[in-house]
Amino acid sequence: MEHSYMFGMNVYTFVVGTEPLKVLYLDGSSAANMPSGPIDTQEILWHGEIRDGGWHDERNEIVELCAWGKKYDIHGFVRMEFDFEIMLCDFTQGVSLVSGLTLLPTKGGIRGPGGPHGPHGPHGPGGGGSPPPDGKVPHDDPFTTFARHHPRFDTAGNKQMLPGGLWEDPEPPKGWKGTLLPRSSVTFGAIQAGNWHNVPSGLNGVILDHAGVISFFDPKYTSLVEARRGIDRMKWRAGNITKSDVEVFRAELDEVLTRKRKRSQVRWDGLLRSVVERHADRLEFLSEWLGDDRRNVTEGVVYARRTVLEMLAPYFVVDSIPSDYKTNLTWLEPTMHYCSTAYTSHLPVDDFTPQEHMLKGAVEVVMKEICRTLGVIWVDAFDAEESHSEQEQRDQLVRWRGEVEKLKQWLGWAVWVKCKPACGPFELCSLPQWPFDTRWGDPDGGDDLTPRCMSRIEQQGGPKLGGNRQ
């Protein structure tokens, strides 16, 4: 609702009929029209390659995707930018109109995706975006330029359309008292609503079929495995896929969308969430604890050792410890086995779809690396409390932190993407995002995506409270 209010005063609400809609979910920021990769999956799906300029061909893209989806009875596509959107192919099929409301105009009179004083426009507290790929900086604000050249607004039927592609709101209702919502508040409201969905599985009402999840991280897409090797995570792109792997992808998608066979009853969303919930908080604690430059290193060793033991204790089965426990690790092997297979050893693999086998493999790879890291630290920490050398203990803390940081970087879990220090009560933690901060996107993946605390007051046109902070 908040998102749609940015685009016009007429807001329509629809309800899905007795049968659920069949929609294809395109993961990632797939509605962000940037040349840096968010549109890659849609380009590969329909065109089999990344076209020059295809990233801003949104109007033709949805028409083509809907035409392609007819043979699979696909009703629409779910995409994400700073909020989620469902691109429905036919509003006469599967949904019924509940209401059509003409909402209040906004203060300032400019309607469309932004305005000169939007939260991240050049005259707003967030500053402007980066220049376009050709290096030409437009003379007006990013929101006006965005609307002027954006296909969503090519044919916006409004008598009050302005030359810049936006339009003016009418006067407030007769008898209205007080100020209307400023344009910046409407935009900030949409950003805030998007942040409500920053937890699995994102958009309310959309139920993901994990048994049909296709991932470009599947090792069978060998061209992408090679393209990621030695490259920073921010520069990974599905668009690096080869034509032969495109055909593999299309064949897999066709099999998923036409599948008649049964799937298992495994609740993959809950299983995957359990892996993160069980380990993310304690790994983050370890990282912070080991990184604290404290005087009492013995205390550092004691509590780091205790946290590792807490994580391994549910899997410890040992009768005795060999005298050469540093080199003879047979006493730890059962613990490593139970730790790495705890989530998957009992699963009904005979009922799995190919995609479920992929998910199982992913969980096992993740758990094996988590348990391996904990095991490496534990062997070193096992007798660490007996050490009387402060330097030796400091060296241990450094080694352990190195292992934890390497693990966290490899996992790259979204739960660790947050504002540090935490935002205050009048602030909102938010990632820089399209079209406000990363308007064009660095094609080389060099955008700074550090989360920032946004003032809830400043972003809505209020007085400055000290500026944004990271």
Side-chain angles (χ1 to χ4, degrees):
M1 183 70 74
E2 286 79 6
H3 192 175
S4 59
Y5 196 22
M6 289 176 58
F7 292 87
M9 292 174 55
N10 297 317
V11 176
Y12 300 91
T13 303
F14 292 84
V15 64
V16 177
T18 55
E19 293 295 324
L21 297 178
K22 184 178 182 181
V23 296
L24 190 63
Y25 173 62
L26 301 166
D27 197 15
S29 193
S30 53
N33 296 318
M34 300 188 294
S36 52
I39 309 296
D40 282 3
T41 301
Q42 293 156 80
E43 288 283 280
I44 293 168
L45 173 61
W46 179 246
H47 299 283
E49 61 182 359
I50 307 303
R51 299 172 300 154
D52 184 25
W55 57 275
H56 58 68
D57 192 23
E58 187 176 52
R59 181 180 291 273
N60 290 325
E61 196 86 67
I62 182 57
V63 172
E64 293 167 345
L65 286 174
C66 284
W68 165 84
K70 282 185 177 179
K71 65 178 179 179
Y72 298 111
D73 296 325
I74 291 177
H75 295 96
F77 301 84
V78 178
R79 308 192 306 172
M80 185 184 75
E81 43 185 68
F82 58 91
D83 200 348
F84 285 91
E85 67 179 27
I86 298 180
M87 301 192 298
L88 204 58
C89 294
D90 187 346
F91 281 83
T92 67
Q93 299 292 325
V95 296
S96 300
L97 179 65
V98 175
S99 65
L101 305 177
T102 300
L103 305 181
L104 287 169
T106 59
K107 177 185 177 183
I110 300 297
R111 185 64 68 140
H117 300 281
H120 296 267
H123 307 303
S130 58
D134 60 6
K136 297 177 181 178
V137 181
H139 69 277
D140 50 7
D141 71 277
F143 298 98
T144 303
T145 303
F146 169 78
R148 178 180 297 155
H149 299 292
H150 199 290
R152 290 180 184 173
F153 303 96
D154 286 346
T155 58
N158 191 300
K159 296 179 180 180
Q160 297 165 301
M161 180 68 70
L162 301 176
L166 305 177
W167 55 91
E168 292 182 343
D169 276 359
E171 295 296 319
K174 186 177 181 179
W176 179 266
K177 297 183 185 299
T179 58
L180 294 162
L181 279 176
R183 182 76 189 90
S184 56
S185 291
V186 174
T187 306
F188 179 77
I191 296 174
Q192 182 175 239
N195 281 353
W196 297 339
H197 306 301
N198 285 348
V199 294
S201 58
L203 186 62
N204 295 332
V206 175
I207 301 174
L208 296 181
D209 178 14
H210 287 82
V213 166
I214 297 176
S215 172
F216 284 122
F217 289 99
D218 192 322
K220 73 181 180 184
Y221 296 112
T222 55
S223 60
L224 294 179
V225 173
E226 292 303 315
R228 292 192 296 267
R229 201 178 303 279
I231 303 298
D232 182 82
R233 183 189 299 269
M234 294 304 300
K235 298 182 180 181
W236 294 350
R237 287 190 60 167
N240 292 322
I241 195 170
T242 59
K243 289 186 177 180
S244 58
D245 274 350
V246 168
E247 295 308 311
V248 174
F249 161 66
R250 286 177 163 177
E252 181 178 7
L253 181 59
D254 180 77
E255 190 275 330
V256 167
L257 295 177
T258 59
R259 178 182 295 154
K260 302 298 182 183
R261 57 168 290 185
K262 294 182 178 180
R263 49 159 288 175
S264 78
Q265 298 302 310
V266 174
R267 286 286 308 276
W268 287 104
D269 54 339
L271 190 152
L272 298 172
R273 192 162 55 248
S274 294
V275 171
V276 176
E277 289 175 347
R278 187 173 185 84
H279 302 94
D281 184 62
R282 288 185 286 194
L283 287 175
E284 186 172 32
F285 166 77
L286 265 180
S287 175
E288 297 292 338
W289 180 257
L290 294 170
D292 185 34
D293 187 17
R294 62 178 57 80
R295 295 180 181 178
N296 190 339
V297 293
T298 300
E299 180 184 65
V301 167
V302 167
Y303 285 101
R305 180 185 182 278
R306 183 176 300 177
T307 301
V308 173
L309 181 55
E310 284 177 357
M311 299 176 77
L312 289 177
Y315 316 111
F316 249 115
V317 284
V318 60
D319 295 324
S320 62
I321 309 298
S323 58
D324 55 346
Y325 54 81
K326 289 283 188 181
T327 55
N328 179 9
L329 301 180
T330 54
W331 64 283
L332 200 56
E333 288 176 358
T335 302
M336 293 294 98
H337 169 75
Y338 290 121
C339 176
S340 59
T341 61
Y343 291 90
T344 57
S345 61
H346 60 287
L347 297 179
V349 294
D350 292 340
D351 298 330
F352 277 6
T353 66
Q355 291 71 38
E356 288 180 292
H357 282 290
M358 182 268 297
L359 291 176
K360 174 178 178 289
V363 172
E364 289 177 339
V365 168
V366 165
M367 287 305 305
K368 184 176 180 179
E369 187 60 20
I370 290 175
C371 299
R372 186 201 67 80
T373 299
L374 294 176
V376 168
I377 297 175
W378 177 248
V379 170
D380 200 20
F382 181 53
D383 59 0
E385 293 169 316
E386 299 177 359
S387 174
H388 299 291
S389 168
E390 180 177 330
Q391 186 58 51
E392 182 180 352
Q393 289 184 323
R394 286 191 184 279
D395 292 342
Q396 286 177 316
L397 293 177
V398 171
R399 287 198 301 272
W400 301 348
R401 185 166 193 255
E403 292 289 343
V404 173
E405 289 303 305
K406 187 165 58 176
L407 174 63
K408 285 185 61 186
Q409 185 177 16
W410 181 78
L411 290 171
W413 284 346
V415 69
W416 293 321
V417 180
K418 62 180 72 174
C419 293
K420 294 183 179 180
C423 300
F426 308 124
E427 296 176 316
L428 173 72
C429 182
S430 184
L431 281 168
Q433 49 199 316
W434 181 89
F436 309 108
D437 307 279
T438 55
R439 178 169 146 223
W440 302 103
D442 185 345
D444 296 323
D447 290 309
D448 180 11
L449 300 181
T450 305
R452 291 171 172 83
C453 293
M454 299 169 57
S455 167
R456 296 175 182 265
I457 306 302
E458 288 180 37
Q459 305 299 335
Q460 301 184 52
K464 287 189 175 296
L465 299 178
N468 291 358
R469 56 187 178 85
Q470 293 187 4

